């Protein structure tokens, strides 16, 4: 929201008062005077007018979770425990997921209360590489490498997947890098070759890797540097 619109929520402050206060540098956002009413402010900013606190600003929260198999990537579910059940945090209803993994998929999942940040992760145009370790029922055909690199046509969506990089690690194991996140994408890509994915684990999203010290079900706050990755 623009700072001038935020100030207009206080009926005792006329538009003229607000404009004068801004021009005089009496409005501070996170401790710094802001004179431009077009400045964007959010629920995370501390906003003051002279000595008056207009908004305390709530803390932005960012977590990485090592999703175990069997927890659903949703905030509520009638049948299965959710990934949020693994977090021992206050005000969990304010949190949402920055992307999803299937019920049996394990690995890196990001959780936050910052909608702008999670949108940067998940918007189709963001193209953050997502790296998966994959194990399959049958041997992986060499042909998969070229087909995945060229893109596969998904008839249901009527689109061709973005070029993906497949590194074959063993007869039935590979590392796959995607730059998008379509519904059941990895399973459908191997499904094209009639090969079933029996294990799927997300190792990283963009520059952020699953913390090697974490076990399935563990979570931790992201560092400031990790938050700034996106
Ligand atoms: N692709 C899948 O098929 N499942 C996931 O959980 C993630 C990517």
């Amino acid at each position: 929201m623009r700072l001038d619109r935020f100030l207009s929520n206080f009926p005792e402050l006329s538009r003229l008062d607000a404009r004068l206060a801004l021009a005089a540098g009496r409005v501070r956002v996170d401790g710094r005077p802001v004179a431009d009413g077009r400045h964007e402010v959010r629920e995370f900013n501390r906003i003051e007018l002279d000595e008056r606190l207009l908004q305390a600003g709530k803390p932005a929260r960012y977590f990485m979770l090592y999703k175990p198999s069997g927890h659903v990537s949703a905030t509520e579910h009638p049948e299965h425990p959710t990934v949020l059940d693994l977090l021992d945090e206050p005000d969990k209803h304010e949190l949402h997921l920055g992307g999803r993994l299937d019920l049996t998929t394990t690995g890196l999942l990001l959780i936050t209360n910052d909608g702008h940040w999670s949108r940067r992760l998940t918007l189709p145009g963001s193209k953050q590489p997502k790296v998966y370790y994959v194990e399959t029922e049958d041997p992986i055909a060499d042909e998969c490498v070229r087909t995945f690199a060229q893109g596969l046509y998904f008839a249901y969506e009527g689109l061709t997947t973005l070029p993906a990089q497949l590194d074959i690690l063993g007869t039935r194991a590979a590392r796959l890098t995607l730059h998008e996140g379509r519904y059941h994408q990895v399973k459908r890509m191997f499904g094209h070759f009639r090969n079933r994915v029996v294990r799927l684990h997300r190792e990283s999203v963009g520059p952020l890797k699953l913390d090697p010290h974490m076990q399935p079900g563990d979570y931790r706050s992201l560092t400031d540097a990790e938050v700034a990755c996106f």
Side-chain angles (χ1 to χ4, degrees):
M1 177 193 293
R2 283 166 53 139
L3 181 56
D4 50 7
R5 303 240 163 83
F6 170 85
L7 294 172
S8 72
N9 290 328
F10 296 85
E12 67 280 17
L13 261 184
S14 71
R15 273 169 68 175
L16 180 62
D17 288 342
R19 225 179 298 145
L20 290 174
L22 282 166
R26 290 162 49 212
V27 180
R28 290 188 307 281
V29 178
D30 299 331
R32 270 176 312 183
V34 174
D36 187 350
R38 292 167 302 179
H39 183 88
E40 284 293 319
V41 290
R42 306 178 56 200
E43 67 270 40
F44 306 117
N45 294 119
R46 180 183 175 86
I47 305 175
E48 296 159 286
L49 169 59
D50 298 327
E51 300 317 311
R52 181 176 167 200
L53 181 60
L54 301 180
Q55 174 176 280
K58 57 180 171 188
R61 296 184 287 165
Y62 308 90
F63 303 103
M64 74 159 69
L65 168 75
Y66 186 156
K67 181 192 172 301
S69 176
H71 280 68
V72 71
S73 294
T75 50
E76 285 176 22
H77 198 272
E79 262 179 77
H80 298 288
T82 74
V83 289
L84 283 193
D85 293 335
L86 296 162
L87 269 58
D88 182 17
E89 296 293 326
D91 301 321
K92 283 203 272 188
H93 61 276
E94 293 181 356
L95 298 173
H96 62 270
L97 313 180
R100 284 166 203 285
L101 294 173
D102 292 342
L103 184 65
T104 57
T105 304
T106 59
L108 177 61
L109 196 65
L110 298 168
I111 301 177
T112 182
N113 63 344
D114 181 347
H116 286 207
W117 187 80
S118 58
R119 233 165 284 138
R120 287 203 289 278
L121 294 177
T122 54
L123 272 184
S126 73
K127 298 200 176 63
Q128 292 290 348
K130 299 181 183 84
V131 180
Y132 294 89
Y133 170 77
V134 191
E135 286 178 7
T136 57
E137 195 163 71
D138 297 321
I140 299 171
D142 287 339
E143 200 190 335
C144 292
V145 175
R146 195 161 42 91
T147 308
F148 290 180
Q150 282 170 348
L152 263 175
Y153 184 65
F154 277 5
Y156 183 75
E157 293 95 332
L159 56 80
T160 300
T161 56
L162 292 175
Q165 186 184 331
L166 183 70
D167 298 302
I168 297 185
L169 304 175
T171 316
R172 293 178 172 77
R175 183 163 283 117
L176 179 61
T177 305
L178 300 183
H179 293 87
E180 61 191 334
R182 306 273 165 209
Y183 180 67
H184 291 331
Q185 181 159 349
V186 177
K187 292 173 185 160
R188 290 163 75 196
M189 288 171 75
F190 281 94
H192 176 82
F193 291 92
R194 308 220 183 294
N195 198 355
R196 200 166 69 85
V197 170
V198 293
R199 180 158 178 235
L200 186 55
H201 175 82
R202 184 153 70 190
E203 298 177 332
S204 61
V205 174
L208 206 58
K209 289 192 171 48
L210 182 64
D211 187 328
H213 300 105
M214 284 170 46
Q215 300 297 318
D218 288 352
Y219 75 98
R220 68 159 173 82
S221 291
L222 296 185
T223 63
D224 290 347
E226 287 171 335
V227 173
C229 284
F230 299 104

